[in-house]
Amino acid sequence: MIDRKKAPTVRPFAKMSMPSENKEILDNGITLHTFSGGEQPICHLSIYFAGGASELCGDIAAKIMLACLTDGTATHTADEIGDTIDYNGVRVGSTCHAHYSSLRFSMLNHRIADFLPIASDIIANPIFPDERLETARLRAKAQIETSLQEVSTIADNAFNKLIMGKRHPLAINITSDDVDKYTRPYITDMHRQMICPAKAHAFLCGQIDSHIIKALRDFLQAIPSIGLGYKASVIPYTPCCAGTIDTIPKDDSYQSAIIMGMPAISRADNNYIPLRLSIIALGGYFGSRLMANIREDKGLTYGISAALIGSQEGSYLKIAAQCDKEYTSAVINEVIHELDNLKINPPRGKELERLKLYAATSLAELLDTPSSISGYYATQLLVGTPDNYFELQQRAIDTLTPDIIAEMADCYLRPQNLITVIGGQR
């Protein structure tokens, strides 16, 4: 019998390893990544077409195009496509990333053959009906206008310009007026340019056997080469001067949104993962320094987070919180205090054990499902993580010490380098 009054024994993780994927280049040039596993007879297929927010001057146009793929083709109406998707229990999703736009199909294995003809049609032959496109544009406008009433969006947009560069393509703020130019010819041209299998990647995972792999391989190989594909536009960040503070008033808001950050070392640097772990100690989980001090002890905010965000363009620290306007200065001062404190008083003992256990648990979660394992490999494509990133993270967690955290804080987390944005402040 389990004694529920007694805490379970906590044991360190044994050595973990990321299962390998299979990779092949199909006849039409698309790169297929496969990983088999799972207990349910389902599979997930994600297709990444070259061309994302950086190449398309923002992500709104790509999101509209992807969402409208199921709105009708030359041979099927939107209702017919919707009925086929629903009847076969398929889930269709889409995402626009920095340099790729992706379609995701989650399918029941025994229904794959019934769905693939429709999938082929919506990828190769969408017609983007004007009335459906107009609805998508109106929806996008409403979302933009609504989000711009939120102090968190206002602060986030301003911070992106400061940390990435005022004219950086990933810092562009699309307005509702900009959406008007996403006409049917505009969206059609974007689609035609994007459908280039030679520059695309497909990730297939789930309980797959040779028959399923063959069916999906045949489906992918039949995707026509319609356009030349987008060439990746990787432009390094050009951050503003250290110490910059930008205040954006919004009198009708009761809260301030605070974003603080600074440029960081690239993923290629040997100290990137130790720095990431140090930032987790600062504000990357519920037991972090910022949460314990600013939320739990002083009650200045409901939540505060810190993260190291790395991409092919560069990396940066981002600390974000919202608070009552009266507490804005106090929150900023406490963040600065915790940055200094991390250097002179790094986590030790139980705190260090909790940090390492949290980091190891997060790493272990990547091994939970075929989808999360496939997602790990997709991340290599999207942000440029190295082939042995999983092993490097595990080694960094195992060898993490207070001295390493103090060194990371001293070298890379200096308060004088902070860039600060306050949205909503009077």
Short mmCIF file of all heavy atoms in Angstrom, two decimals, residues 359-385:
data_model
loop_
_atom_site.label_atom_id
_atom_site.label_comp_id
_atom_site.label_asym_id
_atom_site.label_seq_id
_atom_site.Cartn_x
_atom_site.Cartn_y
_atom_site.Cartn_z
N ALA A 359 15.74 20.81 -15.08
CA ALA A 359 16.34 20.81 -16.42
C ALA A 359 16.39 19.40 -16.99
O ALA A 359 16.11 19.19 -18.18
CB ALA A 359 17.73 21.42 -16.35
N ALA A 360 16.73 18.41 -16.15
CA ALA A 360 16.79 17.03 -16.62
C ALA A 360 15.40 16.50 -16.97
O ALA A 360 15.22 15.77 -17.95
CB ALA A 360 17.45 16.14 -15.56
N THR A 361 14.39 16.89 -16.17
CA THR A 361 13.02 16.47 -16.45
C THR A 361 12.53 17.04 -17.78
O THR A 361 11.89 16.36 -18.57
CB THR A 361 12.08 16.91 -15.31
OG1 THR A 361 12.53 16.33 -14.08
CG2 THR A 361 10.65 16.47 -15.57
N SER A 362 12.85 18.31 -18.02
CA SER A 362 12.46 18.94 -19.28
C SER A 362 13.12 18.23 -20.46
O SER A 362 12.51 18.05 -21.52
CB SER A 362 12.86 20.42 -19.28
OG SER A 362 12.19 21.12 -18.25
N LEU A 363 14.36 17.81 -20.25
CA LEU A 363 15.07 17.09 -21.31
C LEU A 363 14.42 15.71 -21.52
O LEU A 363 14.23 15.27 -22.67
CB LEU A 363 16.54 16.94 -20.91
CG LEU A 363 17.54 16.65 -22.03
CD1 LEU A 363 17.54 17.75 -23.08
CD2 LEU A 363 18.94 16.49 -21.45
N ALA A 364 14.07 15.05 -20.43
CA ALA A 364 13.46 13.72 -20.53
C ALA A 364 12.10 13.78 -21.22
O ALA A 364 11.70 12.83 -21.90
CB ALA A 364 13.31 13.11 -19.13
N GLU A 365 11.39 14.91 -21.06
CA GLU A 365 10.08 15.04 -21.69
C GLU A 365 10.17 14.99 -23.21
O GLU A 365 9.20 14.63 -23.89
CB GLU A 365 9.42 16.35 -21.26
CG GLU A 365 8.92 16.32 -19.81
CD GLU A 365 8.38 17.66 -19.35
OE1 GLU A 365 8.54 18.66 -20.11
OE2 GLU A 365 7.81 17.73 -18.26
N LEU A 366 11.33 15.33 -23.76
CA LEU A 366 11.51 15.24 -25.21
C LEU A 366 11.43 13.80 -25.69
O LEU A 366 11.17 13.55 -26.88
CB LEU A 366 12.86 15.83 -25.61
CG LEU A 366 13.03 17.34 -25.43
CD1 LEU A 366 14.46 17.75 -25.76
CD2 LEU A 366 12.05 18.11 -26.30
N LEU A 367 11.65 12.85 -24.79
CA LEU A 367 11.63 11.43 -25.15
C LEU A 367 10.26 10.79 -24.95
O LEU A 367 10.10 9.60 -25.20
CB LEU A 367 12.68 10.68 -24.33
CG LEU A 367 14.11 11.22 -24.37
CD1 LEU A 367 14.99 10.43 -23.42
CD2 LEU A 367 14.66 11.17 -25.78
N ASP A 368 9.27 11.58 -24.51
CA ASP A 368 7.98 11.02 -24.12
C ASP A 368 7.21 10.41 -25.28
O ASP A 368 6.61 9.35 -25.15
CB ASP A 368 7.11 12.11 -23.47
CG ASP A 368 7.41 12.26 -21.98
OD1 ASP A 368 8.18 11.45 -21.46
OD2 ASP A 368 6.87 13.19 -21.36
N THR A 369 7.18 11.11 -26.41
CA THR A 369 6.32 10.68 -27.52
C THR A 369 7.08 10.75 -28.84
O THR A 369 8.07 11.48 -28.95
CB THR A 369 5.08 11.58 -27.63
OG1 THR A 369 5.49 12.91 -28.00
CG2 THR A 369 4.31 11.63 -26.32
N PRO A 370 6.63 10.02 -29.84
CA PRO A 370 7.23 10.15 -31.17
C PRO A 370 7.17 11.59 -31.68
O PRO A 370 8.08 12.07 -32.36
CB PRO A 370 6.40 9.21 -32.04
CG PRO A 370 5.83 8.22 -31.09
CD PRO A 370 5.59 8.96 -29.82
N SER A 371 6.07 12.29 -31.35
CA SER A 371 5.91 13.66 -31.81
C SER A 371 6.95 14.59 -31.19
O SER A 371 7.51 15.46 -31.87
CB SER A 371 4.50 14.17 -31.47
OG SER A 371 4.30 15.45 -31.99
N SER A 372 7.25 14.42 -29.90
CA SER A 372 8.24 15.28 -29.26
C SER A 372 9.65 14.97 -29.76
O SER A 372 10.48 15.87 -29.89
CB SER A 372 8.18 15.14 -27.73
OG SER A 372 8.41 13.81 -27.32
N ILE A 373 9.90 13.70 -30.06
CA ILE A 373 11.22 13.33 -30.62
C ILE A 373 11.37 13.92 -32.02
O ILE A 373 12.40 14.50 -32.36
CB ILE A 373 11.36 11.80 -30.65
CG1 ILE A 373 11.46 11.26 -29.22
CG2 ILE A 373 12.60 11.39 -31.46
CD1 ILE A 373 11.37 9.75 -29.11
N SER A 374 10.32 13.80 -32.83
CA SER A 374 10.35 14.39 -34.16
C SER A 374 10.50 15.91 -34.07
O SER A 374 11.21 16.53 -34.87
CB SER A 374 9.08 14.03 -34.92
OG SER A 374 9.12 14.48 -36.25
N GLY A 375 9.83 16.51 -33.07
CA GLY A 375 9.95 17.96 -32.88
C GLY A 375 11.36 18.39 -32.54
O GLY A 375 11.80 19.47 -32.94
N TYR A 376 12.07 17.54 -31.80
CA TYR A 376 13.48 17.84 -31.48
C TYR A 376 14.29 17.96 -32.78
O TYR A 376 15.10 18.88 -32.94
CB TYR A 376 14.05 16.73 -30.59
CG TYR A 376 15.55 16.74 -30.48
CD1 TYR A 376 16.21 17.56 -29.57
CD2 TYR A 376 16.34 15.91 -31.29
CE1 TYR A 376 17.59 17.57 -29.48
CE2 TYR A 376 17.72 15.91 -31.20
CZ TYR A 376 18.34 16.74 -30.29
OH TYR A 376 19.71 16.76 -30.21
N TYR A 377 14.08 17.03 -33.70
CA TYR A 377 14.83 17.07 -34.96
C TYR A 377 14.37 18.23 -35.85
O TYR A 377 15.18 18.83 -36.56
CB TYR A 377 14.70 15.74 -35.70
CG TYR A 377 15.52 14.64 -35.06
CD1 TYR A 377 14.93 13.62 -34.33
CD2 TYR A 377 16.91 14.65 -35.17
CE1 TYR A 377 15.69 12.63 -33.73
CE2 TYR A 377 17.68 13.67 -34.58
CZ TYR A 377 17.06 12.66 -33.86
OH TYR A 377 17.84 11.68 -33.25
N ALA A 378 13.09 18.59 -35.78
CA ALA A 378 12.61 19.75 -36.53
C ALA A 378 13.26 21.03 -36.01
O ALA A 378 13.54 21.94 -36.79
CB ALA A 378 11.10 19.84 -36.45
N THR A 379 13.51 21.09 -34.71
CA THR A 379 14.15 22.26 -34.13
C THR A 379 15.54 22.49 -34.71
O THR A 379 15.98 23.63 -34.87
CB THR A 379 14.22 22.13 -32.60
OG1 THR A 379 12.90 22.00 -32.09
CG2 THR A 379 14.87 23.36 -31.97
N GLN A 380 16.24 21.40 -35.03
CA GLN A 380 17.54 21.55 -35.68
C GLN A 380 17.41 22.32 -36.98
O GLN A 380 18.25 23.16 -37.31
CB GLN A 380 18.16 20.17 -35.95
CG GLN A 380 18.58 19.41 -34.71
CD GLN A 380 19.27 18.10 -35.06
OE1 GLN A 380 19.11 17.57 -36.16
NE2 GLN A 380 20.03 17.56 -34.11
N LEU A 381 16.36 22.02 -37.73
CA LEU A 381 16.12 22.71 -38.99
C LEU A 381 15.75 24.17 -38.75
O LEU A 381 16.24 25.07 -39.44
CB LEU A 381 15.00 22.00 -39.75
CG LEU A 381 14.47 22.68 -41.01
CD1 LEU A 381 15.50 22.60 -42.12
CD2 LEU A 381 13.16 22.03 -41.45
N LEU A 382 14.90 24.43 -37.76
CA LEU A 382 14.32 25.76 -37.58
C LEU A 382 15.28 26.76 -36.96
O LEU A 382 15.29 27.93 -37.35
CB LEU A 382 13.06 25.65 -36.71
CG LEU A 382 11.91 24.84 -37.29
CD1 LEU A 382 10.77 24.73 -36.29
CD2 LEU A 382 11.42 25.45 -38.60
N VAL A 383 16.08 26.33 -36.00
CA VAL A 383 16.94 27.30 -35.30
C VAL A 383 18.42 26.96 -35.35
O VAL A 383 19.25 27.70 -34.83
CB VAL A 383 16.50 27.50 -33.83
CG1 VAL A 383 15.08 28.02 -33.77
CG2 VAL A 383 16.64 26.23 -33.02
N GLY A 384 18.76 25.81 -35.94
CA GLY A 384 20.17 25.51 -36.13
C GLY A 384 20.86 24.91 -34.93
O GLY A 384 22.07 25.14 -34.73
N THR A 385 20.16 24.12 -34.11
CA THR A 385 20.84 23.43 -33.01
C THR A 385 21.77 22.36 -33.58
O THR A 385 21.50 21.77 -34.62
CB THR A 385 19.82 22.77 -32.06
OG1 THR A 385 18.93 21.94 -32.83
CG2 THR A 385 19.01 23.80 -31.32
#
